[in-house]
Amino acid sequence: MADTFSTRVLHLTTGSTETVTDLTEACADFLADAASGRDGLLNVFVPHATAGIAVLETGAGSDDDLLAALRTLLPADDRWQHAHGTPGHGRDHVLPALVPPHATLPVIAGRLELGTWQSVCLVDTNVDNPDRKVRLSFLG
């Protein structure tokens, strides 16, 4: 059987605060349609200069810990040369260097192969742009 490629774009509204949005269920729904029980790779990509994709535990405080760590590493103040938008917005443009805009994950028998506590998440610290797209692509 020849390799197949499928893709879908998710449209999300992240709101006016820093967020970690769990995409795991959306990834599973996409794979139910796209993978058809096949092995392959899922690529998750956010085409924005101020957001990233992380694989981490959620719901037990790790998502809040990540945002707190990013506030420490990338303070929202006037130190940034990229100075348009809300105060400290320049840090949002540095975020993808620490939380990359993509993740490629294994798919086995049509299911995302994550560890017990792992989730696929959109990390968005940009309070100026709540409208986000995330591209899911399956190759298998």
Side-chain angles (χ1 to χ4, degrees):
M1 176 181 209
D3 288 343
T4 60
F5 178 81
S6 298
T7 191
R8 175 183 297 166
V9 176
L10 306 175
H11 297 271
L12 306 168
T13 301
T14 55
S16 59
T17 60
E18 300 172 338
T19 61
V20 175
T21 303
D22 192 336
L23 304 173
T24 310
E25 186 175 329
C27 291
D29 290 346
F30 168 67
L31 290 171
D33 294 336
S36 300
R38 294 187 312 272
D39 295 350
L41 295 172
L42 173 69
N43 181 266
V44 183
F45 176 72
V46 56
H48 298 283
T50 58
I53 301 295
V55 177
L56 73 153
E57 179 179 8
T58 60
S62 297
D63 36 355
D64 291 332
D65 289 342
L66 174 60
L67 292 174
L70 290 171
R71 281 185 218 106
T72 298
L73 291 169
L74 304 172
D77 58 23
D78 62 357
R79 73 183 70 203
W80 307 101
Q81 293 183 34
H82 187 107
H84 74 85
T86 58
H89 175 64
R91 77 179 189 123
D92 300 326
H93 288 273
V94 177
L95 173 76
L98 301 176
V99 181
H102 59 87
T104 300
L105 306 162
V107 175
I108 306 299
R111 296 175 52 108
L112 195 54
E113 188 71 11
L114 293 173
T116 302
W117 303 112
Q118 290 180 318
S119 296
V120 181
C121 299
L122 170 68
V123 179
D124 187 1
T125 59
N126 181 358
V127 300
D128 292 338
N129 181 8
D131 299 316
R132 297 302 189 172
K133 294 178 185 174
V134 177
R135 178 171 296 280
L136 306 178
S137 300
F138 174 74
L139 178 65

